[in-house]
Amino acid sequence: MFFFSPILFFVICFFSGRTQSQYFVKVTDPNNPVVSEPLTGSYIGTSWVDVDGDERLDLFICRKDIFKNLGNGNFIKLENSIPLQGTVIGNSWADYDNDGDIDVFIISTVQANPTSHLYRNEGNGMFTKILSGMIGDSVNNTGWGCTWGDINNDSYADLFLAAASGFGGVNHPNRLFYNNGDGTFIRIDSTSITDSIDAFTIPIFSDYDLDGDIDLFIGTGPANNIGGRDYLFRNFLKELNTSYYFQRIDTGIIGTDIVDGQNWNWIDYDNDGDLDAFLTNYSQNILNRLYRCEGLRYYVRMTEAQVGTIVSDPGLYLANTWGDFDNDGDLDCFLTRDAVQQSRYYSNNGNGTFTRIDTMAITTGPGTTYGATIGDYNNDGNLDLFVAGTTNSKGLYRNETQNGNKWVNIRCVGSGPGNSFSNKSALGTIVKAKATISNNAVWQIREINAQNSFNSMNSLNVHFGFGNASIVDSLIIIWPRGLVQIFTNVELNKFYKAVEGQGLTEIIIGILQISSDVPESFFLYQNYPNPFNPVTKIKFSIQERGAVRLVIFDILGKEVSSLIDQPLQQGTYETEFDASNLASGIYFYTLQSANFTLTKKMILIK
């Protein structure tokens, strides 16, 4: 079992008449493979993604592998799960074949030994490299960044590759792969998003104008302190009512500003109901941009006097990632920087301004960080961070904020092709939530997309913080194909699954409720299989609602894993125990409630 060192870095900041705090712990236990794995190469990305559907976020790091989340903070590296990656830098995840598990495209700039490939999830912890068709042509699919998105709302995720001309020998235009819906793709070259050659970096699909189709934004930073216009494209799918059509945005501040752009993000930082834009610039002279939306497709560039130093701190910036790290009801921002410059963290003050915090673990470590990914990997309601960099600068940062603020975490699932349903990964879905926080009615908005960091993506789960709210008054889910679902009086501090066209159901992490019928007795079944290697299932029944613990002990009585420690309703349940990190031997599992304790023996043979 991996034990995390309780090293706590914290800061308390006072501003705007209220107190906020963020606490992050850098995980340092060398027995944790996420900690001990050396990283090589520059500009690599990373992502939190649930590869096996067990409601626990696994970690992928480019050039490395998948680190499977075993629960309780434990990970194991799945050796060669995604084989022969080579010198890749970017990744993007989506269930492209709508079969219920998530797949990945990984991209490289190296033309001499190209390794840009699509990997299909086989559902057993292993992935198959797709070598057939145009999607398998790694020589002509080189590039810097990649992203999935359903450009025509046909329920299948399409793929866009940003080709960074002049980097690694790349000398071709961007690539757009249209998903045929049968597991194959066709390359579309006759679009405005694939007819130019430039220093394209990170692409992101986002419905920036909230009109029901996804638009495309490509950072195009030449990294030369001179800059130019980024390539931003509006999708006219809804307007034409026929098919997708991208037109470059040539007017307004976002279309004409001279930048050295790397990573765009569209977020509602001021909770006014529309999407604002943030752009990192790789330049000491060209500063980061925050564009506030003040009307339909009308933006104003924010100044330091208006929002703080988030737009005036110079540096060689790469990733910008956004999440409500303190669960107070507004989005905070974490930025990575190159050339031994330390990362930056900006706390949202809730009044349209930000305060930079330099004294936390995520900003005091060694500099040079690349991709970053946000997700609640330990399922405690707080958003955590993994930051890719060098072996010394990378880090897994566990969010230990304890301010009593409430939250909700939602996994949205599209119902797939047919009957006007959306893609399984729910890419392009808009989620809005209203709650009363500190006596104020606050609306928040989130969008699900597959590239929202530097060569990286955050967890696809939707996370909201709600401060001192007592209930979510309204939760609105707007699916890409147009279905709108409204839920009211949603309970806080819970994980939910929202399936398109169906209801909102609570997720009990790592536990499957087989039956809600009241059993005749409190009972613990024999695990199966037994003996096992390395995974077994444990079934149990409880007669009445109450706190339940299911704990694993070794033969010396030492606790090696806590599978369940939470209240459960009456019924019959099943959970899975993965002993990949344990040695062969005899173990015991104990089920405890207020009135009963039952223990059984199991045998692990490797």
Side-chain angles (χ1 to χ4, degrees):
M1 183 175 182
F2 308 124
F3 298 96
F4 294 162
S5 302
I7 302 174
L8 191 63
F9 295 82
F10 64 91
V11 65
I12 300 178
C13 298
F14 299 91
F15 40 74
S16 302
R18 58 181 189 161
T19 303
Q20 290 190 358
S21 56
Q22 295 86 24
Y23 303 80
F24 288 88
V25 175
K26 184 174 183 179
V27 179
T28 58
D29 181 8
N31 292 318
N32 185 336
V34 174
V35 173
S36 58
E37 185 73 20
L39 297 191
T40 58
S42 301
Y43 308 118
I44 57 176
T46 180
S47 296
W48 287 114
V49 59
D50 183 4
V51 299
D52 50 9
D54 65 354
E55 308 296 348
R56 298 188 181 102
L57 294 179
D58 310 297
L59 181 67
F60 172 73
I61 308 174
C62 282
R63 304 191 190 186
K64 293 299 176 179
D65 240 312
I66 293 170
F67 296 83
K68 177 176 168 54
N69 188 341
L70 302 178
N72 299 303
N74 303 327
F75 292 85
I76 186 169
K77 183 180 179 181
L78 301 182
E79 299 284 354
N80 296 316
S81 57
I82 301 182
L84 303 175
Q85 291 181 46
T87 54
V88 297
I89 55 176
N91 69 108
S92 183
W93 295 74
D95 184 1
Y96 80 89
D97 49 5
N98 286 329
D99 66 349
D101 49 39
I102 197 162
D103 316 289
V104 64
F105 192 90
I106 308 174
I107 195 166
S108 169
T109 62
V110 180
Q111 195 81 20
N113 184 26
T115 53
S116 298
H117 284 291
L118 171 62
Y119 291 84
R120 185 181 65 238
N121 190 338
E122 300 297 348
N124 58 0
M126 302 302 293
F127 290 72
T128 298
K129 181 188 291 186
I130 304 301
L131 299 174
S132 59
M134 289 184 172
I135 198 77
D137 181 7
S138 62
V139 173
N140 291 299
N141 293 339
T142 50
W144 190 278
C146 54
T147 185
W148 294 95
D150 186 356
I151 61 174
N152 61 345
N153 289 344
D154 68 347
S155 80
Y156 289 96
D158 309 295
L159 179 67
F160 179 81
L161 311 181
S165 177
F167 291 85
V170 177
N171 58 3
H172 58 75
N174 297 325
R175 302 302 193 200
L176 174 63
F177 287 94
Y178 177 79
N179 192 332
N180 294 320
D182 58 1
T184 67
F185 295 81
I186 183 170
R187 198 176 82 198
I188 306 295
D189 296 327
S190 57
T191 69
S192 60
I193 64 177
T194 56
D195 65 0
S196 302
I197 293 180
D198 211 324
F200 298 108
T201 52
I202 309 301
I204 175 176
F205 282 118
S206 177
D207 185 5
Y208 83 115
D209 51 4
L210 300 177
D211 66 348
D213 51 38
I214 56 171
D215 312 287
L216 179 63
F217 304 85
I218 315 170
T220 319
N224 59 10
N225 279 322
I226 298 174
R229 294 171 54 211
D230 273 354
Y231 284 72
L232 317 181
F233 299 90
R234 182 183 169 198
N235 189 350
F236 283 80
L237 172 68
K238 288 293 183 179
E239 287 74 12
L240 296 177
N241 198 30
T242 53
S243 185
Y244 64 90
Y245 174 75
F246 291 96
Q247 183 179 85
R248 189 171 181 184
I249 300 172
D250 289 318
T251 60
I253 187 69
I254 65 170
T256 59
D257 207 357
I258 301 301
V259 295
D260 206 331
Q262 298 297 312
N263 177 195
W264 283 85
N265 257 311
W266 290 89
I267 37 82
D268 185 11
Y269 81 93
D270 52 2
N271 287 339
D272 66 350
D274 49 33
L275 295 179
D276 313 293
F278 191 87
L279 172 68
T280 46
N281 287 298
Y282 191 89
S283 172
Q284 293 293 142
N285 301 327
I286 303 174
L287 303 175
N288 293 333
R289 306 292 202 245
L290 177 58
Y291 302 102
R292 188 177 68 206
C293 181
E294 295 193 347
L296 183 60
R297 293 185 286 276
Y298 175 69
Y299 301 89
V300 175
R301 178 177 155 189
M302 295 291 97
T303 65
E304 179 181 345
Q306 293 171 304
V307 296
T309 63
I310 191 171
V311 295
S312 60
D313 289 327
L316 303 180
Y317 288 93
L318 296 172
N320 71 89
T321 55
W322 294 77
D324 189 354
F325 291 104
D326 52 5
N327 287 334
D328 64 348
D330 48 46
L331 290 169
D332 311 297
C333 183
F334 174 78
L335 309 175
T336 64
R337 297 199 296 173
D338 197 7
V340 202
Q341 298 178 2
Q342 291 177 321
S343 300
R344 297 291 199 197
Y345 181 91
Y346 297 89
S347 178
N348 193 327
N349 298 331
N351 60 1
T353 68
F354 295 83
T355 294
R356 196 180 88 199
I357 302 177
D358 294 331
T359 53
M360 293 190 295
I362 56 175
T363 57
T364 56
T368 306
T369 47
Y370 308 128
T373 180
I374 298 172
D376 183 3
Y377 81 90
N378 57 351
N379 295 320
D380 66 350
N382 291 327
L383 292 175
D384 311 294
L385 266 169
F386 181 81
V387 184
T390 65
T391 297
N392 292 329
S393 65
K394 72 174 175 70
L396 172 60
Y397 297 92
R398 189 174 66 244
N399 186 345
E400 292 287 355
T401 301
Q402 297 180 9
N403 54 17
N405 286 342
K406 308 298 178 54
W407 52 272
V408 161
N409 190 300
I410 308 164
R411 180 166 69 88
C412 294
V413 182
S415 290
N419 298 318
S420 296
F421 287 128
S422 306
N423 66 90
K424 286 281 190 180
S425 297
L427 301 180
T429 299
I430 300 292
V431 184
K432 300 179 179 180
K434 177 189 175 185
T436 300
I437 305 174
S438 298
N439 298 318
N440 295 313
V442 178
W443 276 102
Q444 300 180 66
I445 184 170
R446 302 287 189 270
E447 181 184 29
I448 300 175
N449 46 41
Q451 189 75 192
N452 39 30
S453 182
F454 182 83
N455 276 332
S456 309
M457 58 178 270
N458 299 325
S459 162
L460 291 175
N461 287 25
V462 170
H463 176 97
F464 289 100
F466 289 106
N468 60 4
S470 59
I471 201 80
V472 180
D473 301 319
S474 298
L475 182 72
I476 302 174
I477 302 178
I478 306 171
W479 300 92
R481 297 294 293 271
L483 177 65
V484 178
Q485 292 181 271
I486 302 174
F487 305 95
T488 59
N489 297 322
V490 178
E491 293 185 31
L492 296 163
N493 290 357
K494 292 182 181 294
F495 291 85
Y496 291 100
K497 178 181 178 180
V499 179
E500 185 179 18
Q502 301 180 29
L504 187 70
T505 58
E506 182 182 355
I507 297 172
I508 304 174
I509 304 299
I511 311 171
L512 174 65
Q513 185 170 12
I514 299 174
S515 171
S516 59
D517 295 338
V518 179
E520 294 182 0
S521 65
F522 182 86
F523 194 76
L524 179 63
Y525 296 83
Q526 185 64 50
N527 67 298
Y528 62 97
N530 188 46
F532 68 99
N533 176 29
V535 178
T536 188
K537 294 183 178 181
I538 301 173
K539 181 180 173 183
F540 61 92
S541 297
I542 57 176
Q543 280 187 298
E544 58 186 25
R545 187 187 191 282
V548 175
R549 293 193 75 221
L550 180 61
V551 185
I552 312 296
F553 298 94
D554 65 16
I555 198 169
L556 299 177
K558 178 183 176 182
E559 181 180 320
V560 296
S561 184
S562 176
L563 300 182
I564 300 171
D565 188 1
Q566 66 187 81
L568 295 178
Q569 300 285 349
Q570 64 267 24
T572 299
Y573 296 84
E574 184 179 82
T575 188
E576 188 176 85
F577 173 51
D578 190 325
S580 299
N581 59 321
L582 298 176
S584 298
I586 297 174
Y587 293 87
F588 298 91
Y589 56 103
T590 297
L591 183 68
Q592 300 173 332
S593 72
N595 302 314
F596 293 93
T597 298
L598 297 173
T599 299
K600 288 187 178 292
K601 180 176 73 173
M602 58 184 173
I603 302 173
L604 171 62
I605 299 177
K606 292 186 174 181

